[in-house]
Amino acid sequence: MSGGSETSARSDSGLSALVLMLRFHGVAVEVEQLRHQIGVPTVGSVEMLRAARALGLKTRMVSSNWARLAKAPLPAIAQRKDGTFVVLAKVAGDKALIQDPLSGRPEQIEQAQLEADWTGRLLLMTDEDWAVALEVFRACRSRRGDKGRDDRKFLEAMHYFTAHNISWRALPAEFGS
């Protein structure tokens, strides 16, 4: 592969991963619109951070490792050692579910493969509405009880409950028991 096409692949994977994450967070954006807004030929982590923040997402770049991925707020954008980016959707056991924007389909990979390809850098995103809701929720809840609960999961369950007008028992298993 020539140097120009490698740069194009890196640029496209960064831009495409960013578009996937923005759409996940409910931001309607088109690839060409975002490319024009970013204004550089190669979309790297710095450009992704700036663009996501400009579109109202709380964003940060962190260094991580396999052991800490289980507690990371996924999905996130992972940077590969070759300069490309993938969306890391889920980690369970010794497997990870990724979406490579260049292949266009989800793929399950082994821990060893992810660790070999990944720089350890993750671009984390949270939409501002969820960030504010979580701050309010944490400030108002009792100081006793289970501190390890996933507050966002609870808020998503509350939203699902009210939006679908169902009983608590009818909540899907993904929201817990």
Side-chain angles (χ1 to χ4, degrees), residues 122-157:
L122 283 178
L123 181 76
L124 305 175
M125 292 184 195
T126 303
D127 49 272
E128 290 292 338
D129 292 339
W130 276 115
V132 170
L134 286 175
E135 285 178 30
V136 170
F137 182 73
R138 288 183 177 135
C140 294
R141 74 177 177 188
S142 166
R143 297 293 174 228
R144 298 179 300 152
D146 186 3
K147 302 278 189 212
R149 295 178 93 127
D150 185 353
D151 296 330
R152 183 172 179 143
K153 178 87 58 194
F154 174 75
L155 290 173
E156 288 172 348

Side-chain angles (χ1 to χ4, degrees), residues 48-132:
M48 285 190 266
L49 283 165
R50 286 185 188 144
R53 286 178 182 155
L55 292 166
L57 295 176
K58 189 174 179 180
T59 311
R60 64 190 171 117
M61 181 65 75
V62 298
S63 292
S64 191
N65 60 38
W66 181 266
R68 294 191 305 210
L69 282 179
K71 294 185 183 229
L74 299 178
I77 298 175
Q79 184 175 10
R80 289 179 166 165
K81 291 177 181 173
D82 67 0
T84 61
F85 297 89
V86 296
V87 174
L88 180 59
K90 184 176 182 178
V91 173
D94 65 345
K95 298 192 185 316
L97 181 64
I98 64 166
Q99 170 80 34
D100 185 342
L102 301 178
S103 73
R105 60 181 173 72
E107 178 183 355
Q108 186 171 317
I109 61 173
E110 300 287 330
Q111 174 182 350
Q113 182 182 352
L114 181 70
E115 289 179 321
D117 294 344
W118 179 41
T119 63
R121 294 176 50 130
L122 283 178
L123 181 76
L124 305 175
M125 292 184 195
T126 303
D127 49 272
E128 290 292 338
D129 292 339
W130 276 115
V132 170

Side-chain angles (χ1 to χ4, degrees), residues 11-70:
S11 171
D12 289 345
S13 75
L15 183 63
S16 297
L18 179 58
V19 168
L20 281 171
M21 288 295 293
L22 290 171
R23 288 180 180 163
F24 172 80
H25 286 287
V27 178
V29 66
E30 294 299 322
V31 174
E32 291 307 317
Q33 170 195 9
L34 194 56
R35 184 187 315 273
H36 178 73
Q37 179 183 342
I38 292 172
V40 295
T42 303
V43 177
S45 54
V46 171
E47 291 80 19
M48 285 190 266
L49 283 165
R50 286 185 188 144
R53 286 178 182 155
L55 292 166
L57 295 176
K58 189 174 179 180
T59 311
R60 64 190 171 117
M61 181 65 75
V62 298
S63 292
S64 191
N65 60 38
W66 181 266
R68 294 191 305 210
L69 282 179

